[in-house]
Amino acid sequence: MQVQFKILRQTPGSGRESRFQRYTVEARPEERVLDCLNRIKWEQDQTLGFRSSCGHGVCGSDAMKINGRCALACQKLVRDYGGQEITIEPLPSFRVLKDLIVDMKPFFDNIEKVRPFLVNTSTPPEKERLQSKEDSRKVNEVIRCILCACCTASCPVVLGGGEFLGPAPMVWAFRQVFDSRDQDTLNRLKELDAKEGAFGCENHFECTRACPKEIKVTKSINMLKREIEAHLRGS
Ligand code: SF4
Ligand code: FES
């Protein structure tokens, strides 16, 4: 079948206005949007800029806005769009470097602010710090995060320019707070007790709808809020 694409093209600093460019691609319904982008780049227009790597929903590099929703181009199939024109834009709220390639540095800087690593000063065992099955279940869902930024780019609070670090950093904060091996829970909760942290979330659920790994992002943030209330305010 022939699939019509409308892709936002822009090269900041070039003096050229951003514009939509149309392409027609021959594709099977079960092919991925990423296959079509590759075909455009390889066969029609080598100047089109987009990121991709694994092609299988693992690396998180090909997040973009597809027909109005943030998603991974490698997880969306042509048939998902029912034959209608497919409009592709870069992730909202991110600075565009070229076409669909955005500057991810502020996103990763915000992830770093929640210290996305275990803090444990006890003497390490010979092999590894073990965890019971029950304890590992508490973080099993959030460890699926691939840092694609679909959640953050879909968050109305982030889009509104508020102080909130975004849903993705909260997922990484959750991962440490609820990990039985981490010893810095109280300090983490104090850091998250702010508009920048868990209380920046206004429960719009757009992050949960956007997450390609089906992480219940909003629920995780609400669990962080409850943990803060319980530990810092005794409620
Ligand atoms: Fe992507 Fe989901 Fe992780 Fe957000 S929580 S960065 S949407 S995988
Ligand atoms: Fe790696 Fe899509 S290319 S997640």
Side-chain angles (χ1 to χ4, degrees), residues 107 145-151 168 171 211-213 215 217:
F107 174 77
C145 177
I146 55 171
L147 290 168
C148 68
C150 283
C151 55
V171 167
C211 180
K213 306 309 283 185
I215 297 169
V217 183

Coordinates of all heavy atoms in Angstrom, one line a residue, residues 107 145-151 168 171 211-213 215 217, ligand 1:
F107 N 17.1 16.5 29.6 CA 16.4 15.3 30.1 C 17.3 14.5 30.9 O 16.9 14.1 32.1 CB 15.8 14.5 28.9 CG 15.2 13.2 29.2 CD1 13.9 13.2 29.7 CD2 15.8 12.0 29.0 CE1 13.3 12.0 30.1 CE2 15.2 10.8 29.3 CZ 14.0 10.8 29.9
C145 N 12.1 0.9 32.3 CA 12.3 2.2 31.7 C 13.5 2.2 30.8 O 14.6 1.8 31.2 CB 12.4 3.3 32.8 SG 12.7 5.0 32.0
I146 N 13.3 2.7 29.6 CA 14.4 2.8 28.6 C 14.8 4.2 28.3 O 15.5 4.5 27.4 CB 14.0 2.1 27.3 CG1 12.7 2.7 26.7 CG2 13.9 0.6 27.5 CD1 12.4 2.2 25.3
L147 N 14.4 5.2 29.2 CA 14.8 6.6 29.0 C 14.5 7.2 27.6 O 15.3 7.9 27.1 CB 16.3 6.7 29.4 CG 16.6 6.5 30.8 CD1 18.1 6.4 31.0 CD2 16.1 7.6 31.7
C148 N 13.3 6.8 27.1 CA 12.9 7.3 25.8 C 12.4 8.8 25.8 O 12.4 9.4 24.8 CB 11.9 6.4 25.2 SG 10.3 6.5 26.0
A149 N 11.9 9.2 27.0 CA 11.4 10.6 27.2 C 10.0 10.8 26.7 O 9.5 11.9 26.7 CB 12.3 11.6 26.6
C150 N 9.3 9.7 26.2 CA 7.9 9.9 25.8 C 7.0 10.5 26.9 O 6.1 11.3 26.6 CB 7.3 8.6 25.3 SG 7.9 8.1 23.7
C151 N 7.3 10.0 28.1 CA 6.4 10.5 29.2 C 6.6 12.0 29.5 O 5.7 12.7 29.6 CB 6.7 9.6 30.5 SG 8.4 9.6 31.0
A168 N 9.8 11.0 34.0 CA 10.9 10.0 33.9 C 11.8 10.1 35.1 O 12.2 9.0 35.7 CB 11.6 10.2 32.6
V171 N 10.3 8.2 37.9 CA 10.4 6.7 37.7 C 11.7 6.2 38.3 O 11.8 5.2 39.0 CB 10.2 6.4 36.2 CG1 10.6 4.9 36.0 CG2 8.7 6.6 35.8
C211 N 3.8 5.9 27.8 CA 4.9 5.0 28.0 C 4.9 3.8 27.2 O 4.0 2.9 27.3 CB 5.0 4.6 29.5 SG 6.4 3.6 29.8
P212 N 5.9 3.6 26.3 CA 5.9 2.4 25.5 C 6.3 1.1 26.2 O 6.1 0.0 25.7 CB 7.0 2.7 24.4 CG 7.9 3.7 25.1 CD 7.1 4.5 26.1
K213 N 6.7 1.2 27.4 CA 7.0 0.0 28.2 C 5.9 -0.3 29.2 O 6.1 -1.1 30.1 CB 8.4 0.2 29.0 CG 9.5 0.6 28.1 CD 9.7 -0.3 26.9 CE 10.3 -1.7 27.2 NZ 10.6 -2.4 25.9
I215 N 4.7 1.2 31.7 CA 4.9 1.5 33.2 C 3.8 2.4 33.6 O 3.5 3.4 33.0 CB 6.3 2.2 33.4 CG1 7.4 1.3 32.9 CG2 6.5 2.6 34.8 CD1 8.8 2.0 32.8
V217 N 3.3 5.1 35.2 CA 4.1 6.2 35.7 C 3.4 7.1 36.8 O 3.9 7.3 37.8 CB 4.6 7.1 34.5 CG1 5.5 8.2 35.0 CG2 5.2 6.3 33.4
Ligands
SF4_1 FE1 10.1 6.2 28.3 FE2 8.3 5.0 30.0 FE3 10.8 5.5 30.8 FE4 9.1 7.5 30.5 S1 8.9 5.8 32.0 S2 11.2 7.4 29.8 S3 7.9 6.8 28.7 S4 10.1 4.1 29.2

